[in-house]
Amino acid sequence: MQIKLNLYTTLILDYAVIKMAKIFSKASESDVTRAIVSQFASDMCEFTEVDVAIIGAGPSGLQAASDLAKDGIKTLVIERNNYLGGGFWIGGFLMNTVTLRDPSQKILDEIGVPYKEYVKGLYITPGPHACSKLIASACDNGVKFLNMAKFDDIVLREKNRVSGVVINWTPVSALPREITCVDPVALEAKVVIDASGHDAVVVKKLEERGLIKTPGFGAMWVEKSEDAVVEHTGEAYPGLIVTGMAVSTTYGLPRMGPTFGSMLLSGRKGAEIAKKLIRKYK
Amino acid sequence: MRRLRKNSFENTSEDIIYIYPSSWDIQFLEIARFLTDTTGIRTVVRTDFFEHFKVDSDNIARNFAACRVFDIFSVRCADVHDSYGVLNIEKEFIGSRQPVYGVMYDANMVASMLRKIIPQDEKKFGVHHIVFLDRLIGTYTGDRYHAHVVHCSVPSIISTLGLVQAPARPREFYALRNMNPYVPEEILLEKFKDRVLTYNDPRITRIAKGIALQTVLWANGYYPFCKHRTCKLYDAHWQEELIKSQMSGKLCKMHARIIKRIKNQHK
């Protein structure tokens, strides 16, 4: 009886092992490594020359990227963090309800995010839902992302037109220089969008070189600040478009609270301007 | 009443007021009729200032960029007038003829820029230009820039955005806004609709009449503002006061006399 039971148990275990092996197909460690390296290298090769390079994957960068890629424009988003979405995951004070004002809720309709009207003209939606759908929509439209990569410098071409970006891995800048003497790489782009938020890293780099002057964002005239950000979205320097809160830094517009409508609409306007510039700089 | 200067062209029949409208839904012809009826001075409504004088938009964009106030606590305007982005945006604003939100312009610099555009034969006593501008204007007065509704000069500028933004709103409004910082301002303004002006408010035409009259007083050599709260020429610092003084449609005794005098001069 005991022998029979042992034999039965052995058979069951053998079956389980066979079954388990069938859940995942066989792949060696070297296969996994080769897959990562070859695909990433292939993507990098393809995206060393793009139509639009966007610095920052916050709401305005994502929206601009999504709209551009939807029209078949080769778009690469460079994000210094591991995660995409910037501050769009949370509203104010670490609370993950985000607010948007009319008419920006129409973008939520487009990407299929539920929302409700809190008071007339003010809409609320869960940050994780809105942010994840915005990222998904950008990916679905064909945007390529390079996360954990940091903007390092600009590429300037004839007549000082911005025509690319120099990037490096984020950890490189986080470690002491003595052990991270790693040279960056450059990517060419017809148009660069600075969607890096208040830091406005691309604009600041131009300022460092004395090519542009920025007053920085200020508490200048708070009323209609969202309108002002959208209205000022545009080409701040030949080949460079600013969107989102980078607009505030570039033009000295008022700082805003955690309302995201203008970020999305600014991204959309930035994409429209980029389409025109691509034709212009062809 | 303080008289600022002697108008050497008094009693001439050539006196005329030109009004340059803005994109706002203000009844400019009604304002012109009011000024003519009140002061006896012929008033003409022209087209938009920049359209009327067919100015080069690139040049105007450059000038507006130079007039931008980037720090309200500093008297010096930011030196960014040659910035590619600011110029682009200003060109866009001039082309679209839309209100410019979120930016303040130095009133003296704007007036100086507009003055250069007006031809020499129209820059004389007896001709007064009133430009309605969809931009916020302000002047630096000691501590910081203060937004204004009106800037009396050649030409006089009436800021349509200033009508809504420059005079302070009721204290309760600011308290409520601080408690609900993310609620759209339009919603909060609903609660104070009788005490504040909103963008494209239907009362603005009536209020603009009194403001335009202030500039006419200035152009005729009188101090343009009154200290009586019920007078149409009252220099209001609160929106409630502005609405009350302008909606009453009355002038104080002294200003009624002055206006009568101006009217008699233009008969």
Side-chain angles (χ1 to χ4, degrees), chain A:
Chain A
M1 181 64 191
Q2 199 167 0
I3 295 164
K4 271 185 184 175
L5 190 68
N6 283 345
L7 187 64
Y8 183 66
T9 314
T10 315
L11 282 171
I12 288 173
L13 282 171
D14 283 352
Y15 177 74
V17 168
I18 293 161
K19 249 316 214 191
M20 270 177 71
K22 276 187 178 174
I23 293 173
F24 296 105
S25 55
K26 194 174 172 238
S28 68
E29 281 78 1
S30 58
D31 285 340
V32 172
T33 306
R34 245 192 315 271
I36 294 170
V37 174
S38 62
Q39 186 58 47
F40 185 81
S42 153
D43 285 348
M44 269 301 268
C45 279
E46 195 191 336
F47 281 82
T48 46
E49 241 181 290
V50 289
D51 292 324
V52 183
I54 300 176
I55 308 300
S60 77
L62 285 171
Q63 185 60 48
S66 183
D67 284 359
L68 287 164
K70 200 176 179 182
D71 280 8
I73 292 164
K74 200 171 164 187
T75 310
L76 175 71
V77 177
I78 295 144
E79 169 57 53
R80 67 178 173 181
N81 291 311
N82 190 11
Y83 65 92
L84 310 172
F88 202 32
W89 292 104
I90 49 171
F93 199 57
L94 289 178
M95 292 180 281
N96 66 4
T97 296
V98 298
T99 56
L100 297 102
R101 293 174 58 176
D102 182 63
S104 49
Q105 83 283 1
K106 287 174 189 164
I107 289 175
L108 298 184
D109 286 331
E110 284 173 25
I111 58 174
V113 178
Y115 57 85
K116 64 179 180 182
E117 195 171 31
Y118 181 67
V119 288
K120 193 173 169 250
L122 179 69
Y123 299 89
I124 51 173
T125 185
H129 201 159
C131 193
S132 53
K133 276 282 179 77
L134 187 61
I135 296 167
S137 136
C139 293
D140 290 346
N141 288 335
V143 176
K144 281 284 172 197
F145 290 94
L146 194 57
N147 46 346
M148 288 299 280
K150 207 173 172 185
F151 167 83
D152 202 59
D153 209 341
I154 38 170
V155 175
L156 291 169
R157 279 283 161 80
E158 68 282 356
K159 291 178 186 168
N160 266 346
R161 180 168 72 81
V162 174
S163 51
V165 288
V166 177
I167 55 165
N168 212 335
W169 295 118
T170 302
V172 170
S173 62
L175 291 168
R177 196 144 187 92
E178 303 83 58
I179 53 168
T180 58
C181 192
V182 179
D183 283 334
V185 290
L187 309 173
E188 285 182 31
K190 289 188 184 110
V191 174
V192 173
I193 296 181
D194 187 347
S196 59
H198 286 305
D199 295 345
V201 288
V202 188
V203 172
K204 289 287 175 197
K205 191 56 81 174
L206 284 169
E207 195 172 22
E208 264 177 48
R209 294 184 175 193
L211 297 170
I212 202 170
K213 289 166 194 161
T214 63
F217 65 85
M220 198 184 59
W221 210 257
V222 180
E223 270 190 40
K224 296 270 183 185
S225 50
E226 280 207 286
D227 297 56
V229 165
V230 179
E231 280 167 0
H232 281 75
T233 297
E235 196 183 16
Y237 193 79
L240 173 70
I241 294 168
V242 283
T243 64
M245 289 318 294
V247 174
S248 292
T249 307
T250 309
Y251 298 108
L253 300 176
R255 198 180 180 145
M256 292 186 308
T259 49
F260 289 92
S262 56
M263 299 300 103
L264 299 178
L265 294 185
S266 170
R268 177 150 283 179
K269 189 179 174 193
E272 289 306 316
I273 297 165
K275 285 175 203 169
K276 286 179 196 160
L277 289 184
I278 289 168
R279 285 194 289 273
K280 185 178 161 187
Y281 296 136
K282 212 167 185 177

Side-chain angles (χ1 to χ4, degrees), chain B residues 19-71:
Chain B
I19 293 179
Y20 301 89
S22 72
S23 69
W24 276 33
D25 190 20
I26 299 174
Q27 302 303 312
F28 294 99
L29 285 172
E30 209 178 293
I31 296 170
R33 262 197 304 275
F34 165 80
L35 292 180
T36 306
D37 294 347
T38 314
T39 63
I41 306 172
R42 189 161 69 92
T43 309
V44 172
V45 178
R46 288 181 162 178
T47 53
D48 172 280
F49 187 84
F50 303 108
E51 205 178 309
H52 182 84
F53 291 113
K54 294 184 176 54
V55 289
D56 169 31
S57 61
D58 284 11
N59 191 26
I60 294 303
R62 194 172 293 276
N63 281 307
F64 266 123
C67 298
R68 279 182 169 226
V69 175
F70 283 100
D71 178 7

